Amino acid sequence: MNRFSLQTRLYSGTGSLEVLKRFRGKHIWIICDGFLAHSPLIEMLKQAIPAENQVSVFSDITPDPTIATVVEGITQMQTLRPHVVMGFGGGSALDAAKAIVWFSKQLGIDIETCVAIPTTSGTGSEVTSACVISDPQKGIKYPLFDNALYPDIAILDPMLVVSVPPAITANTGLDVLTHALEAYVSPKASDFTDALAEKATQLVFQYLPVAVRDGECLATRGKMHNASTLAGMAFSQSGLGINHAIAHQLGGQFHLPHGLANALLLSAVIQFNAQDKRAARRYARLAKACHFCPPAANEQVAVNALVRQIEQLKKQCNIPSFASALKTTPHHFRERIPAMVEAALADVTIKTTPRPADAAAIRHLLEELL
């Protein structure tokens, strides 16, 4: 028996921040990073909140939110006791907000509404039952999955992403594509997740290069915002795979941006997974749905066409090589491979990878990056 549920109310399109007018006489606690806390975007958000509400801001969020940050947030929750918590920002801010609300609830501190408002188009965290918390001391990222992590409301306003720089637009967009592809070949994929993942994939290939080149185009930004959410809905139901299991280690050990880490692994992971007949068949089906090859092409031709299109997309988006992205020596990278292999095997996302992977396979994929 398969299970599919949509637990988050979704509001999208230009001006969708207007939905915040529903809140009256509430204590609203905004969780964001330090940059957003002093940006015009937070002023846009505050102006959308009716004046009779009390607004507080917690802005200690850093990329890859840490256990210590979540603990500090829980401490503030105990003091403030807000009615509404708003995660505002990229995946890190949304994940931190969701984790703080989740752990606080287990301590008996409940809220009325959790709102997720993304300012990047990448993680899909606004509609997922997942969040990722880091332990910088161990260099490990911990993905958490629980249905209680779903936000109550998600707001997708493209006005909030027009100022995202090209490099971040590219990285987060490739994260969207990775979510969609891993959801599509997951053993837990269904007709419902397939529809979401397929549409997200098509939108990324069509609109991401434009969003990188012309970030001021609201229509394009809206399409990428939708793609991110569609892919998030897909993988929240079907799971991810080895691409994310390894990318989490690249981020935890070397602080590579998550979307970039996924992008650098993606082609090699597809070729690895495609040695499984079912995965190859699904990649081929997706390549044909995106018109990357003729409908009569055999599976290998179709898979190769998909990989070629991904590499072309990466070039269009100026994704750097691994050598230029890695801020350490190849020798140091090789030294960390055993620890990354062990952590990847323990990563929860590997449970739904389509082709079983052992330590040797993960080591090979890591070594191929050099």
Side-chain angles (χ1 to χ4, degrees):
M1 181 176 67
N2 292 322
R3 179 180 184 272
F4 185 89
S5 61
L6 300 173
Q7 297 178 222
T8 304
R9 282 169 285 162
L10 186 63
Y11 300 89
S12 64
T14 304
S16 50
L17 282 178
E18 291 290 313
V19 75
L20 298 178
K21 291 183 186 260
R22 68 174 57 197
F23 295 116
R24 304 280 176 174
K26 304 296 183 182
H27 183 180
I28 297 174
W29 192 38
I30 300 170
I31 296 177
C32 63
D33 62 37
F35 175 79
L36 274 180
H38 298 93
S39 75
L41 292 183
I42 194 121
E43 294 308 314
M44 188 188 304
L45 176 60
K46 288 180 177 179
Q47 287 173 15
I49 299 171
E52 61 263 40
N53 294 287
Q54 177 188 350
V55 177
S56 304
V57 178
F58 175 53
S59 60
D60 290 349
I61 307 304
T62 57
D64 302 326
T66 65
I67 295 170
T69 299
V70 173
V71 170
E72 174 60 25
I74 294 168
T75 301
Q76 291 204 27
M77 275 275 283
Q78 291 174 317
T79 302
L80 296 174
R81 302 280 172 156
H83 303 103
V84 179
V85 173
M86 291 184 182
F88 182 63
S92 294
L94 302 190
D95 279 7
K98 288 161 62 175
I100 290 167
V101 168
W102 187 54
F103 284 114
S104 295
K105 187 172 184 178
Q106 294 178 48
L107 295 173
I109 309 164
D110 211 349
I111 62 168
E112 294 177 9
T113 312
C114 178
V115 182
I117 309 174
T119 60
T120 62
S121 304
T123 67
S125 184
E126 67 276 2
V127 288
T128 73
S129 60
C131 69
V132 180
I133 305 301
S134 298
D135 183 343
Q137 302 300 320
K138 296 180 179 178
I140 294 176
K141 289 186 175 184
Y142 297 104
L144 308 175
F145 286 86
D146 193 286
N147 285 337
L149 285 165
Y150 280 109
D152 299 301
I153 293 173
I155 299 174
L156 308 179
D157 195 325
M159 286 293 294
L160 297 173
V161 290
V162 293
S163 61
V164 176
I168 296 177
T169 299
N171 290 344
T172 53
L174 266 297
D175 193 21
V176 174
L177 181 60
T178 308
H179 291 155
L181 290 171
E182 291 210 291
Y184 200 76
V185 298
S186 164
K188 291 189 176 181
S190 67
D191 288 343
F192 306 102
T193 60
D194 284 354
L196 296 166
E198 184 177 309
K199 184 63 176 180
T201 300
Q202 293 169 338
L203 289 173
V204 170
F205 277 107
Q206 183 173 355
Y207 292 102
L208 180 57
V210 184
V212 171
R213 186 171 64 248
D214 180 15
E216 296 294 320
C217 177
L218 272 177
T220 300
R221 289 294 196 178
K223 291 294 187 181
M224 280 306 302
H225 234 13
N226 291 344
S228 177
T229 300
L230 288 165
M233 292 161 69
F235 87 75
S236 188
Q237 308 286 333
S238 65
L240 292 165
I242 192 174
N243 210 116
H244 270 75
I246 299 176
H248 287 152
Q249 315 323 315
L250 295 174
Q253 291 286 340
F254 302 106
H255 307 291
L256 279 182
H258 177 65
L260 175 58
N262 272 322
L264 294 171
L265 288 160
L266 190 51
S267 292
V269 166
I270 289 173
Q271 289 163 339
F272 171 80
N273 283 339
Q275 294 177 53
D276 172 83
K277 290 183 179 180
R278 175 187 170 278
R281 187 166 60 250
R282 292 193 139 250
Y283 285 133
R285 184 192 306 168
L286 193 56
K288 293 173 184 179
C290 293
H291 306 291
F292 294 157
C293 60
N298 66 41
E299 286 179 3
Q300 189 59 59
V301 168
V303 171
N304 290 343
L306 176 61
V307 171
R308 279 197 306 273
Q309 290 295 325
I310 289 169
E311 290 305 309
Q312 181 178 331
L313 179 65
K314 286 161 63 176
K315 287 180 181 177
Q316 291 174 316
C317 296
N318 300 310
I319 297 294
S321 67
F322 182 72
S324 59
L326 187 67
K327 306 303 181 186
T328 189
T329 64
H331 174 71
H332 182 226
F333 180 79
R334 288 190 182 93
E335 284 185 330
R336 302 307 303 159
I337 284 178
M340 288 191 287
V341 169
E342 182 180 356
L345 286 169
D347 193 288
V348 67
T349 59
I350 206 168
K351 291 181 179 179
T352 44
T353 205
R355 180 187 173 200
D358 58 14
I362 295 172
R363 171 181 286 276
H364 178 69
L365 287 167
L366 285 165
E367 289 173 343
E368 273 195 328
L369 290 170
L370 293 172

